[in-house]
Amino acid sequence: MSTRDPAAAARAYISLGWSLTLGHRYRPRQGCTCAEEDCALPGAHPLAGESPQLHEDTVDEVVSTAPGAALIAGTNRFDVIMVPRMLGVAVMAELDRRTPTPCFFTEDSCALLVLPSTGLHAVVDDGIDVYSGPEGWVALPPSRGVRWDTAPWLEGTATPRELLHGVQVRPSLEKAFRMSRSGTR
């Protein structure tokens, strides 16, 4: 599955049962279409108000009308555990040895996808944010600055990767934060 082609990526996410909308776009030398001068997530956040949900039969048409638009997923089918990037690298190295976990990186963060309503069980530090439920959202690849480390499907297939419970991710997060505090690498 390609996550570089926005329409193909959108179809893949929809096939996982994820609710998906288009978000803002980033325009080189012009910034984010939200027009906020100091936009914290240029080209990788939802549009203001209600955005129409993407559907399999209209993805190509809708995505082609907004080149570079972010793909925004609601967090109703998964929770997102957001941690600082370097800690996320350590967590993913450990999780990959046991159970590869859907994970993507932004410039500053690592996002781990876990079972819905379980992300709070993984909070071991104030440096962790959890996005969950119908009000939560996340920008997915190929949104600007967002890249998969471990895609949510098994490589080369459309088979969804199994999501872990937040409790299963917690020990890896505890270890990464402990190592970070002690200066261990």
Side-chain angles (χ1 to χ4, degrees):
M1 301 236 179
S2 170
T3 57
R4 291 180 188 249
D5 171 28
R11 282 191 300 280
Y13 302 140
I14 291 167
S15 76
L16 294 173
W18 296 0
S19 61
L20 199 66
T21 63
L22 290 183
H24 280 284
R25 295 179 291 138
Y26 177 78
R27 301 161 302 173
R29 296 178 302 282
Q30 295 176 2
C32 186
T33 55
C34 72
E36 292 291 327
E37 191 172 311
D38 295 325
C39 179
L41 298 166
H45 62 96
L47 299 169
E50 196 71 26
S51 298
Q53 190 166 335
L54 295 178
H55 298 282
E56 177 73 32
D57 56 346
T58 60
V59 164
D60 290 323
E61 177 186 335
V62 173
V63 169
S64 71
T65 64
L71 295 177
I72 306 296
T75 55
N76 50 348
R77 297 292 299 243
F78 54 84
D79 279 7
V80 177
I81 301 169
M82 193 73 73
V83 299
R85 185 181 177 96
M86 291 313 296
L87 291 172
V89 169
V91 170
M92 287 312 300
E94 183 164 321
L95 287 175
D96 282 348
R97 286 189 288 258
R98 294 182 299 154
T99 306
T101 302
C103 165
F104 62 82
F105 287 97
T106 67
E107 183 179 327
D108 302 321
S109 301
C110 170
L112 305 156
L113 277 55
V114 296
L115 288 169
S117 303
T118 70
L120 289 175
H121 296 285
V123 176
V124 298
D125 188 273
D126 291 342
I128 295 177
D129 291 318
V130 175
Y131 305 102
S132 180
E135 299 302 314
W137 62 269
V138 65
L140 297 172
S143 301
R144 183 176 184 269
V146 184
R147 301 291 174 259
W148 283 112
D149 176 75
T150 305
W153 47 78
L154 299 175
E155 195 168 324
T157 74
T159 305
R161 193 174 292 279
E162 187 175 331
L163 297 178
L164 297 177
H165 190 286
V167 169
Q168 294 171 288
V169 175
R170 185 181 180 100
S172 299
L173 286 164
E174 287 173 336
K175 182 177 180 181
F177 275 93
R178 191 171 46 251
M179 289 173 28
S180 170
R181 287 186 204 108
S182 70
T184 307
R185 298 226 182 243

